[in-house]
Amino acid sequence: MSDKAVITCALNGVLTDPRQHNVPVTPEQMAREAKAAFDAGASIMHIHLRQQAPNKGHLPSWEVSVSKEVQQAIREACPGVIINHTSGVSGPNYSGALDCIRETKPEIAACNAGSLNYLKVKADNTWAWPPMMFDNAVEKVKDYLDVMNAVGTIPEFECFDVGIVRCVGMYTQVGMYKGPLEYNFVMGVASGMPSDPDLLPILIKLKRPEAHWQVTAIGREEIWPLHQRCAELGGHLRTGLEDTFYLADGTKVTSNGQLIEAVAACARRAGREIASPAEARKIFGTNR
């Protein structure tokens, strides 16, 4: 168990619409929200990029210039902060994501480690959105890993289901990746792993023994027992407006800072201190 808990703030996500939810889009907004999370204990900022034109902030962007501007604004607001860059793209054209990682060289980047039927059903038994495949074939994973290796970026392996956790070990076995291992157990997607604390011992057993791990808990107030159990079992912690808008008592938040304060309290209740950015760099082995 790591005595220090590293906290990641997922600032905005890709699905949250700024016209409906209070998520940051512009570099200035991203920096302001990052500062609130940083002051509350987050040492890593997980970023998604949005189009910057008026009324286009609900759409993703893979412009390298946007990535650079967002990262610079966050780094200026949060001295020593670690950037964790998104990479998730459905479909065959993911060159923009590769370019962002190649050109900006973030300390960490998401590496979606397997495919998932991304589904959700509404209360009236109809699809919440048209059924889609979040495709992450081995060849695609390798492309991401090759670019990350070339620029010294550590992959954070995103695992949406139990079998995907097992795949990460196979990637290391065949030599696709050699380096510090980080698992992110994504729990709460309707067609993936549920937000069930009882799953954590199984997932920990299946990961590589030397690897660090954290949980992304997606949902409402029901996710907080999962955060608490993660802290108790030695995992690192993540939350933010990408993952939830709600505290354990059902209060809807307006800022990432409120969520980071709450997840930091989970760590402290488990008897753990919060890692500084310098300590997080040492724990994860990033050389920048």
Side-chain angles (χ1 to χ4, degrees):
M1 174 175 175
S2 174
D3 292 331
K4 299 270 187 170
V6 178
I7 297 179
T8 296
C9 180
L11 288 166
N12 58 348
V14 68
L15 297 175
T16 42
D17 190 337
R19 297 171 299 189
Q20 299 175 339
H21 304 288
N22 190 36
V23 295
V25 170
T26 68
E28 295 77 15
Q29 292 167 349
M30 294 287 280
R32 184 179 65 245
E33 280 294 300
K35 182 65 163 58
F38 188 78
D39 289 345
S43 55
I44 301 176
M45 302 297 160
H46 177 62
I47 62 169
H48 285 256
L49 309 174
R50 305 298 189 89
Q51 294 185 22
Q52 299 297 300
N55 301 316
K56 297 292 185 180
H58 61 294
L59 298 174
S61 170
W62 292 106
E63 294 289 334
V64 171
S65 60
V66 173
S67 180
K68 288 181 175 179
E69 290 171 11
V70 166
Q71 291 189 53
Q72 180 180 349
I74 291 174
R75 292 187 192 280
E76 289 176 355
C78 309
V81 74
I82 298 167
I83 298 295
N84 178 329
H85 204 291
T86 184
S87 70
V89 178
S90 294
N93 183 9
Y94 47 95
S95 60
L98 294 177
D99 288 343
C100 283
I101 295 167
R102 185 185 294 110
E103 297 297 325
T104 72
K105 303 177 177 63
E107 293 94 335
I108 300 171
C111 183
N112 294 283
S115 300
L116 181 77
N117 284 318
Y118 207 87
L119 312 174
K120 186 175 181 179
V121 175
K122 296 188 294 186
D124 63 0
N125 296 322
T126 62
W127 295 117
W129 53 74
M132 61 169 284
M133 167 65 77
F134 185 26
D135 57 310
N136 295 289
V138 172
E139 295 80 8
K140 187 175 183 180
V141 174
K142 186 177 186 301
D143 287 343
Y144 279 115
L145 292 176
D146 287 348
V147 168
M148 292 180 200
N149 179 64
V151 298
T153 294
I154 295 174
E156 179 186 84
F157 288 101
E158 314 294 312
C159 301
F160 292 83
D161 219 335
V162 175
I164 299 176
V165 176
R166 302 177 73 187
C167 289
V168 174
M170 298 182 200
Y171 300 152
T172 64
Q173 281 183 277
V174 301
M176 282 174 55
Y177 176 70
K178 298 177 181 178
L181 272 174
E182 297 180 33
Y183 290 74
N184 181 21
F185 303 140
V186 183
M187 306 173 75
V189 175
S191 52
M193 293 186 289
S195 296
D196 185 347
D198 291 341
L199 272 177
L200 288 180
I202 298 170
L203 299 174
I204 294 168
K205 181 180 178 181
L206 292 174
K207 76 175 184 66
R208 292 293 289 257
E210 73 277 15
H212 296 289
W213 64 280
Q214 69 174 20
V215 166
T216 290
I218 298 172
R220 297 195 174 205
E221 56 267 31
E222 76 278 358
I223 65 177
W224 288 94
L226 177 57
H227 284 305
Q228 188 61 54
R229 190 63 178 140
C230 174
E232 292 165 357
L233 291 174
H236 299 293
L237 300 166
R238 164 181 150 155
T239 192
L241 295 176
E242 176 176 0
D243 303 338
T244 190
F245 296 105
Y246 296 92
L247 298 175
D249 64 359
T251 300
K252 188 173 184 178
V253 303
T254 58
S255 171
N256 281 287
Q258 296 163 277
L259 294 169
I260 298 302
E261 288 175 0
V263 83
C266 290
R268 295 188 178 103
R269 283 194 295 270
R272 300 173 66 191
E273 297 180 8
I274 308 304
S276 68
E279 290 168 331
R281 290 174 187 276
K282 185 175 181 181
I283 289 169
F284 288 154
T286 177
N287 56 13
R288 291 199 299 275

